[in-house]
Structures are given as C-alpha cells and as structure tokens.
Amino acid sequence: MFSKAVQDAMNEQIKNELYSAYLYLAMAAHFEAENFAGSARWMRAQAGEEQEHAMKLFDFVNERGGRVVLQAIDAPPVEFGSHLSVFEQTLAHEQLVTGMIDNLYALALKENDYASQGFLQWYIKEQVEEEASATKILGQLKMVDGKAQGLLMLDSVLGRRGG
Ligand code: FEO
C-alpha cells in the first residue's frame, strides 16, 4: 500500500528534483554570463531532465491514489566560480540526490511498498549515470587545467548535448 510516510517523502523529493532544475538553470545563467554557450546548453538540458524527474514522481503519486502537495523551492546560488568549481558542485549535488533516493528506497522497503521499490529502481540507475557524467566532465576539466583553448573546446563538446 501507499503509506502517508512514502507519499510525504515523494512530495519532498518532487521539491528536491525541482530545486535541482533550479540549481542547474542558475548554472546555465552563470555560463551564459561568462559566454560559455555550450556549457549553458548542457546545464539547460540538465535542468530539463530534473523537471522530468519531478514529473515522474508527480505522476506516480497520483497513480497510487496519493495527493501531490508542492512545497516552496529555495533560491539557488547566483555565482559558482570557475568551470571546475561548477562541475565540482554538480557532482556534489548529484551525490546528495543519490543519498535522498537511497533514503526514499529504504523507506519503501520499511513500509513493504513493493510498487514504490520497483518505481524507484529507475532513479537508482539514473543516479549512477548522473554521477558518472559529472565525474567524466570533471576529469576532463582537470586535464584542461583552466587553459582557455581547452575550455573553449570542452564548451563546444558540452554544447552538443541534446534536450
Ligand atoms: Fe534528478 Fe540529477 O537527479
């Protein structure tokens, strides 16, 4: 069954995913201001994915006969520092979200909610990909070592991301 505890935790996670969208949109704005159009595009696509993550939860809560209750979303930071720092913050944020998803799954286990466990498997897998992609970009940025030519090349590669 769909317990109140799982419903409340999923409502909280809808907010967390929307905050993630907000955070990545703020990073897109940061890159736009720095004239890194490709990196801005990557962050914009990332923000779009986070909205999808929120909406999957939104739909699931409704499908289970629950009630979606939207919560206030904090304002994200405005400044993020260097390219390297932005992706360090991206990876740290994804690691935080992984912990949130793990906690949600642990709650579904405790509540004997098998449907939620099955649903959350998608998020568990998605978080592996999210962390891997941020880690890869971070590794490339370390190689570039702040050099303009490398940054511009990487910006162009990041700009090829769809979404
Ligand atoms: Fe929805 Fe990037 O985790």
Side-chain angles (χ1 to χ4, degrees):
M1 71 165 250
F2 194 54
S3 68
K4 172 91 168 56
V6 172
Q7 175 182 291
D8 289 350
M10 286 197 176
N11 274 321
E12 178 83 18
Q13 192 58 26
I14 290 172
K15 180 204 68 181
N16 294 336
E17 298 290 347
L18 289 174
Y19 175 76
S20 300
Y22 231 34
L23 176 67
Y24 294 131
L25 210 48
M27 289 177 176
H30 164 92
F31 281 134
E32 291 283 2
E34 305 249 306
N35 296 314
F36 284 115
S39 306
R41 183 179 160 80
W42 192 95
M43 283 298 173
R44 207 183 267 233
Q46 184 72 11
E49 281 194 6
E50 299 300 350
Q51 282 182 26
E52 287 171 19
H53 297 173
M55 291 316 293
K56 277 171 89 81
L57 281 155
F58 183 103
D59 289 339
F60 184 76
V61 170
N62 283 315
E63 276 166 14
R64 299 293 304 279
R67 178 70 165 92
V68 170
V69 180
L70 296 177
Q71 300 169 19
I73 303 167
D74 289 340
V78 178
E79 301 299 339
F80 296 92
S82 67
H83 238 97
L84 186 72
S85 167
V86 178
F87 278 92
E88 277 170 350
Q89 290 169 73
T90 298
L91 177 59
H93 183 71
E94 288 304 330
Q95 288 166 337
L96 191 72
V97 173
T98 298
M100 292 169 177
I101 297 294
D102 287 351
N103 288 340
L104 202 45
Y105 191 85
L107 179 65
L109 275 178
K110 185 169 153 271
E111 299 283 318
N112 293 321
D113 183 343
Y114 303 108
S116 291
Q117 289 167 39
F119 170 75
L120 289 167
Q121 288 289 343
W122 184 89
Y123 286 84
I124 292 168
K125 190 164 160 281
E126 177 71 6
Q127 283 311 120
V128 173
E129 287 173 23
E130 295 271 61
E131 286 191 33
S133 95
T135 301
K136 184 177 160 201
I137 295 166
L138 206 46
Q140 289 169 339
L141 279 166
K142 282 178 184 158
M143 271 186 258
V144 163
D145 197 23
K147 307 260 188 333
Q149 197 178 357
L151 278 179
L152 288 170
M153 271 180 69
L154 189 56
D155 185 62
S156 164
V157 171
L158 292 175
R160 286 187 216 134
R161 179 176 178 173

